């Protein structure tokens, strides 16, 4: 092991310990068990070596948001023990390739993508778990204006269309409806947005009791997400440090 690699391992170990303690603390405040919350390390922009180091430290779940980078990294890491989560916007024409390595797609945001994923998994053994991404931009607030790619809205289905997309996933052979996912809107406190997500998650579970996942919480809003019932937190910077280029 080179000194540089030793140093990185020590840094990641310290970050991981801090993050686990923060998750525990947030769970304690929310009266929840830390076992209810799964940590997903979002390794975008970071090298395969960081994935290996985190895997050695016990992390099993990894997230990526861009297909090409994910595909290369998964191949380079080549560890069958790891679970890969695709968390970024997904084009229908990439569905087949993403389904080759991802066990979970967090960003299902239209019925057309459900159809593409259903075709992509035809004949495979393991079902592909899909989460419906919910748009949490406040419909009445300053960020409610529909500005794709702009401030406020950060992708996903408006809450009133979640049932339709969730139903399409649940009805698709080879796909399993895992639950919901969201990214907090920019420029507003995340708490109320995550409270809306919890409401949407409850509605989805009424129709689909198996859909228990709530994927919410990033480095900036981990505690708020856990307070509002997140079962899967997606952490990049808190765990790996600042990204050298942002997307
Ligand atoms: C990058 C990313 C994350 C992690 O963000 P951090 O702020 O680095 O924790 C989580 N979810 C999605 C969808 C992302 O693209």
């Amino acid at each position: 092991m080179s000194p540089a690699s030793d140093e990185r391992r020590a840094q990641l170990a310290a970050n991981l310990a801090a993050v686990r303690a923060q998750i525990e603390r947030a769970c304690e405040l929310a009266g929840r068990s830390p076992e209810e919350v799964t940590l997903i390390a979002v390794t975008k922009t970071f090298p395969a070596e960081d994935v290996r180091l985190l895997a050695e430290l016990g992390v099993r779940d990894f997230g990526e948001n861009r297909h090409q980078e994910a595909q290369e990294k998964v191949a380079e890491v080549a560890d069958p023990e790891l679970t890969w989560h695709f968390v970024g916007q997904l084009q229908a024409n990439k569905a087949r390739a993403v389904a080759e390595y991802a066990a979970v797609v967090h960003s299902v945001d239209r019925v057309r993508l459900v159809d593409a994923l259903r075709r992509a998994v035809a004949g495979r053994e393991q079902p592909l778990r899909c989460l419906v991404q919910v748009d949490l931009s406040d419909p009445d607030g300053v960020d409610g204006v529909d500005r794709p790619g702009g401030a406020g809205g950060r992708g996903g289905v408006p809450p009133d269309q979640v049932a339709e997309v969730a139903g399409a996933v649940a009805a698709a052979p080879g796909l399993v409806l895992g639950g919901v996912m969201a990214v907090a809107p920019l420029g507003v406190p995340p708490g109320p947005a995550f409270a809306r997500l919890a409401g949407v998650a409850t509605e989805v579970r009424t129709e689909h009791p198996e859909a228990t996942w709530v994927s919410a919480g990033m480095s900036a809003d981990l505690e708020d997400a856990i307070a509002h019932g997140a079962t899967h937190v997606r952490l990049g910077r808190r765990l790996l440090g600042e990204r050298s280029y942002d997307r």
Side-chain angles (χ1 to χ4, degrees):
M1 235 351 105
S2 71
S5 167
D6 277 350
E7 198 177 305
R8 182 61 171 156
R9 180 198 307 270
Q11 184 180 52
L12 289 175
N15 292 353
L16 181 60
V19 160
R20 294 238 187 259
Q22 288 155 0
I23 291 173
E24 268 179 41
R25 176 78 185 130
C27 285
E28 197 179 304
L29 287 171
R32 303 180 59 200
S33 159
E35 270 138 52
E36 295 171 29
V37 178
T38 300
L39 165 65
I40 301 170
V42 178
T43 44
K44 64 187 184 204
T45 80
F46 291 97
E49 181 59 15
D50 280 350
V51 176
R52 288 198 200 98
L53 291 170
L54 284 169
E56 283 171 24
L57 293 164
V59 178
R60 285 292 166 270
D61 291 272
F62 291 86
E64 287 285 335
N65 73 334
R66 289 198 164 192
H67 164 59
Q68 198 183 330
E69 181 184 353
Q71 188 179 47
E72 288 170 13
K73 211 174 290 182
V74 174
E76 199 180 336
V77 173
D79 183 343
E81 302 289 305
L82 305 184
T83 298
W84 288 93
H85 300 250
F86 192 83
V87 303
Q89 215 182 34
L90 180 53
Q91 292 164 15
N93 65 5
K94 301 269 168 64
R96 187 171 299 276
V98 167
E100 295 279 323
Y101 56 83
V104 190
V105 174
H106 288 232
S107 42
V108 175
D109 58 1
R110 57 207 190 278
V111 171
R112 198 172 108 71
L113 179 58
V114 177
D115 291 337
L117 289 166
R118 174 178 53 75
R119 285 192 300 273
V121 298
R124 96 174 201 177
E125 260 173 56
Q126 286 298 318
L128 178 67
R129 188 179 294 268
C130 294
L131 309 184
V132 178
Q133 183 173 351
V134 183
D135 178 3
L136 294 180
S137 56
D138 183 350
D140 307 318
V142 68
D143 286 317
V145 192
D146 192 1
R147 287 165 299 200
R154 300 183 73 184
V157 194
D160 62 354
Q161 290 164 34
V162 170
E164 184 194 351
V165 180
V169 172
L175 304 183
V176 165
L177 180 65
V180 295
M181 175 274 212
V183 177
L186 290 168
V188 293
F194 288 144
R196 287 201 298 282
L197 179 66
V200 173
T202 302
E203 278 171 32
V204 170
R205 275 199 310 275
T206 309
E207 199 64 28
H208 310 279
E210 74 282 11
T212 55
W213 289 29
V214 180
S215 167
M218 302 170 37
S219 293
D221 49 37
L222 167 70
E223 285 79 7
D224 283 294
I226 289 178
H228 289 96
T231 63
H232 292 71
V233 295
R234 309 178 308 269
L235 297 183
R237 291 167 297 153
R238 265 203 216 197
L239 200 52
L240 291 128
E242 290 301 321
R243 288 182 284 275
S244 55
Y245 54 105
D246 232 275
R247 295 163 177 226

